[in-house]
Amino acid sequence: MTKAEKVQFVIQTLEELYPTTPIPLDHKDPYTLLIAVLLSAQSTDARVNTITPKLFEKADNPYDMIKLTVEEIREIIKPVGLSPMKSKGIYGLSQILIDKHQGEVPANFDDLEALPAVGHKTASVVMAQAFNIPAFPVDTHIHRLMYRWNLSNGKSVAQTEKDAKRLFPKELWNKLHLQIIYYGREYSPARGWNIENDIITTTIGRKSVINAKK
């Protein structure tokens, strides 16, 4: 199977399994999505979705957010982890959005990545899911599966993103990155992996990965 055939197999299989791709993080606009994605670092989407209603009840826009203190934000978001850094980031980026962007989340990478606590992955998620601008956010699932599927060398997230963008059609990026995440969680997790259920890896994956699992 050529690499092009492998890519097409991935696309077709994921489309059959996940024809629709709801966004995992609950939100209502670009600002609440930005905050939810920031909170999801080293946490789970499920846990974030239990915390954001409490936070957004008090402040679902930057103007209300800066009325809270960093400590008040921290107390609310503490269950998701990394709360000292995340609370400072939420307060700081909210102030910047007011000062520099009329309270709106900017729809470009440079301005997003200039915000406190917002890295390239967070910016990519916002660009893709809030603004429908092609991006390929790489989380741990995508990084793991691109390596298992022998579509990237696994050396870095940056390289995985570069390879994904090179291999997959741009018009599919926004949906495909979610499909891969769903697949990784259901069929190809890091722990408790039952390779017999993982049709993509067993069909196109690295022999070393498959043999090591057997």
Side-chain angles (χ1 to χ4, degrees):
M1 189 180 289
T2 66
K3 183 156 284 189
E5 289 171 337
K6 291 180 179 180
V7 167
Q8 193 57 37
F9 179 77
V10 169
I11 293 171
Q12 290 177 347
T13 302
L14 293 177
E15 186 61 29
E16 290 173 6
L17 290 171
Y18 308 105
T20 60
T21 52
I23 296 173
L25 292 167
D26 296 338
H27 68 286
K28 67 176 184 177
D29 56 23
Y31 178 76
T32 52
L33 177 64
L34 173 61
I35 300 302
V37 178
L38 187 157
L39 290 174
S40 70
Q42 296 187 36
S43 186
T44 64
D45 293 345
R47 177 168 291 180
V48 172
N49 286 339
T50 67
I51 298 303
T52 48
K54 301 172 185 177
L55 179 62
F56 296 152
E57 183 179 5
K58 291 181 177 292
D60 62 358
N61 62 81
Y63 296 96
D64 287 335
M65 193 66 75
I66 63 168
K67 294 177 183 177
L68 302 176
T69 65
V70 172
E71 187 57 37
E72 286 174 325
I73 298 171
R74 181 182 175 182
E75 281 300 311
I76 297 170
I77 68 171
K78 191 176 291 185
V80 302
L82 304 178
S83 59
M85 179 273 290
K86 291 177 180 179
S87 57
K88 290 177 182 177
I90 290 170
Y91 186 92
L93 73 81
S94 298
Q95 187 67 65
I96 292 173
L97 292 180
I98 293 169
D99 293 343
K100 295 186 177 181
H101 304 287
Q102 296 77 49
E104 299 294 328
V105 176
N108 68 81
F109 279 101
D110 288 342
D111 286 335
L112 283 171
E113 292 181 30
L115 297 172
V118 177
H120 180 66
K121 181 203 158 193
T122 296
S124 296
V125 173
V126 173
M127 290 290 280
Q129 297 178 3
F131 300 118
N132 200 32
I133 295 172
F136 212 109
V138 175
D139 74 343
T140 56
H141 297 288
I142 294 174
H143 187 53
R144 179 177 69 253
L145 295 192
M146 286 289 289
Y147 175 76
R148 285 182 177 176
W149 296 344
N150 203 17
L151 298 179
S152 191
N153 60 24
K155 289 184 178 180
S156 70
V157 170
Q159 184 61 50
T160 297
E161 180 181 347
K162 183 178 179 181
D163 291 335
K165 288 181 173 179
R166 175 175 54 85
L167 292 169
F168 295 109
K170 190 173 185 178
E171 64 271 16
L172 299 182
W173 291 355
N174 288 356
K175 184 176 185 179
L176 193 64
H177 88 266
L178 285 170
Q179 290 173 318
I180 296 175
I181 290 170
Y182 291 143
Y183 185 89
R185 290 174 177 174
E186 187 171 0
Y187 296 104
S188 195
R191 299 177 182 178
W193 179 27
N194 183 352
I195 197 169
E196 293 180 0
N197 295 330
D198 187 349
I199 184 175
I200 296 180
T201 303
T202 54
T203 302
I204 69 168
R206 295 174 184 270
K207 291 182 179 179
S208 58
V209 171
I210 296 171
N211 291 336
K213 182 60 184 173
K214 289 180 178 178

